[in-house]
Amino acid sequence: MTIKEIARLANVSSAAVSRYLNGGYISEEKRAQIKKVIEETGYRPSAQARTLRTKRASLVGVVVPKINSESISRVTEGIGNVLAARGYQMLLASTDNNAKKEIEYLHLFEKYPVDGIILIGTMITAEHRRFLKNARIPVVVTGQNTKYANCVYHDDYGAGKAMGKLAASLGGKQKHIAYIGVTREDKAAGASREDGFRAGLRAEGRELEEEYVRISAFRAEAGYEAALSLLDEETDIGVISCATDTIAAGAIRALRDRGIRLAQDRSVLPQARLVLPDADAPADSRRIAVTGFGDNQLLKAATGGIPTVHFGYKTSGIRSAELLLDVIERGEKIPVEMKLGFRLVRGSEGRM
């Protein structure tokens, strides 16, 4: 099936069909005729022909740190929705949180016929900065604030500060507050959340002492090991705050395996449920609150809800894709740094 055949069946000119396919102006009557024929015949325009005609491949490369993550799936859903609505397809590359793989995929996509790249960033190294400064195609960074490319990121510092203030009200004044963070090379989840958390504690007259701090990878298993280290070395913990909900899931499992109740202060979280230890777990009188970031729905289903932070991950994907396509299609030259907000979720009140 060719454009000429579509034009003949729709009783319009080939130029009208071409304008229809390229989003140009066409009368509603002719648009309806062409659409009807295309739907009846199942016509699909040639990707190669479209590329030659528009100088665009209608492909966008998306580099993600991992695919088995609820937050990343929300971001990619937002990206995919915008791209599909605008006639683009997404090429997805997962790096398993490997910064070198990120660079490899960025260079691969730059050489491949994609119109632009969205990088869901974890850290911005010197190699990242070099690529972003010299990239020959448009790039948008999602999740990290950088001056080297257009970016959409979250207020991780503000979220950390809000969580710090909340954590100060949990666990009692006589108990210590512990924190399981991630590498500070990740400026968002690592440095900004921790710095904000410390500021929130200080605002409430509390401090985060270094012996109560652990660093974890972005995995539940790593959170489990970090929490065990805290529980085995410190006996006066009232709260374990975690840089992500995934890490928090591991911390909750550690509590269970030590026979410790997950305790939420009911004066702050009136409907929070307790996760009881296994019947054969060793008895322990401690009750420890666990908090996180990310509003993971699987964790909520398993625990009844812990204090966490809801970020607009899907929204960040939508805004990133819109921003990239504005550059691709309209040549927008104004640099954009878009900071998105957050909402504190107080345990069982649910996703917001």
Side-chain angles (χ1 to χ4, degrees):
M1 181 69 66
T2 65
I3 286 180
K4 287 185 178 180
E5 291 172 315
I6 293 294
R8 178 176 57 80
L9 292 172
N11 196 30
V12 298
S13 67
S14 297
V17 176
S18 180
R19 287 196 300 274
Y20 174 88
L21 294 174
N22 291 309
Y25 173 78
I26 188 173
S27 70
E28 288 302 318
E29 180 182 358
K30 290 182 179 180
R31 183 178 298 277
Q33 292 170 220
I34 296 169
K35 181 180 179 182
K36 182 174 183 292
V37 171
I38 287 177
E39 289 177 348
E40 290 176 348
T41 60
Y43 171 76
R44 292 290 183 274
S46 164
Q48 292 85 353
R50 183 176 62 244
T51 299
L52 289 172
R53 184 172 61 251
T54 64
K55 307 302 181 184
R56 291 198 297 266
S58 295
L59 295 173
V60 168
V62 179
V63 182
V64 304
K66 55 184 177 179
I67 57 176
N68 59 336
S69 161
E70 184 180 298
S71 59
I72 298 300
S73 69
R74 289 189 221 165
V75 179
T76 54
E77 180 185 5
I79 294 171
N81 288 350
V82 172
L83 296 183
R86 302 270 287 267
Y88 287 76
Q89 292 182 315
M90 176 169 57
L91 298 180
L92 191 66
S94 177
T95 67
D96 194 28
N97 282 306
N98 186 314
K100 287 188 176 181
K101 281 188 178 180
E102 282 187 358
I103 298 298
E104 290 174 4
Y105 278 123
L106 289 172
H107 284 293
L108 176 64
F109 279 142
E110 186 182 41
K111 295 174 183 176
Y112 195 82
V114 301
D115 301 310
I117 301 171
I118 296 176
L119 168 65
I120 302 178
T122 56
M123 58 185 71
I124 305 297
T125 66
E127 289 186 340
H128 284 84
R129 290 191 289 270
R130 191 176 304 113
F131 174 85
L132 295 174
K133 288 170 64 176
N134 300 315
R136 296 191 297 272
I137 58 177
V139 181
V140 170
V141 175
T142 306
Q144 297 286 340
N145 182 15
T146 176
K147 65 181 181 180
Y148 298 100
N150 288 340
C151 59
V152 179
Y153 63 100
H154 302 282
D155 184 7
D156 287 281
Y157 181 88
K161 187 172 184 179
M163 183 54 74
K165 289 182 177 181
L166 178 58
S169 70
L170 301 172
K173 291 289 186 180
Q174 304 307 313
K175 297 291 186 178
H176 284 82
I177 295 171
Y179 186 81
I180 302 178
V182 296
T183 173
R184 291 181 65 85
E185 290 184 9
D186 184 323
K187 298 301 182 184
S192 292
R193 287 182 195 175
E194 181 182 339
D195 291 347
F197 185 79
R198 290 177 182 272
L201 289 181
R202 285 195 296 272
E204 299 299 318
R206 305 290 296 271
E207 289 289 338
L208 181 60
E209 300 172 55
E210 293 310 315
E211 60 265 36
Y212 293 88
V213 177
R214 298 292 186 275
I215 300 300
S216 168
F218 288 86
R219 301 191 309 274
E221 295 83 358
Y224 174 81
E225 295 297 334
L228 284 183
S229 171
L230 286 166
L231 296 173
D232 292 344
E233 295 177 23
E234 310 293 344
T235 60
D236 53 357
I237 296 173
V239 182
I240 299 177
S241 287
C242 304
T244 74
D245 276 5
T246 300
I247 294 171
I252 291 170
R253 179 185 157 212
L255 293 186
R256 182 199 66 192
D257 287 356
R258 288 291 184 267
I260 303 171
R261 287 189 173 190
L262 173 66
Q264 312 298 17
D265 184 340
R266 290 175 180 271
S267 66
V268 178
L269 311 170
Q271 298 178 353
R273 297 190 324 182
L274 299 178
V275 174
L276 298 178
D278 294 337
D280 58 353
D284 193 309
S285 61
R286 284 181 288 177
R287 294 160 60 90
I288 298 176
V290 175
T291 74
F293 290 81
D295 195 14
N296 183 285
Q297 295 302 286
L298 181 59
L299 182 59
K300 177 185 172 184
T303 65
I306 66 170
T308 186
V309 171
H310 179 76
F311 293 113
Y313 287 122
K314 183 175 180 180
T315 299
S316 71
I318 290 171
R319 297 291 176 261
S320 297
E322 291 174 340
L323 181 55
L324 182 69
L325 296 187
D326 283 347
V327 177
I328 291 171
E329 296 178 348
R330 301 207 297 266
E332 183 59 68
K333 299 295 185 182
I334 300 175
V336 175
E337 295 181 10
M338 187 182 300
K339 181 167 73 173
L340 304 181
F342 64 91
R343 180 171 285 179
L344 196 63
V345 179
R346 298 175 181 268
S348 61
E349 69 186 81
R351 185 175 184 171
M352 302 188 243

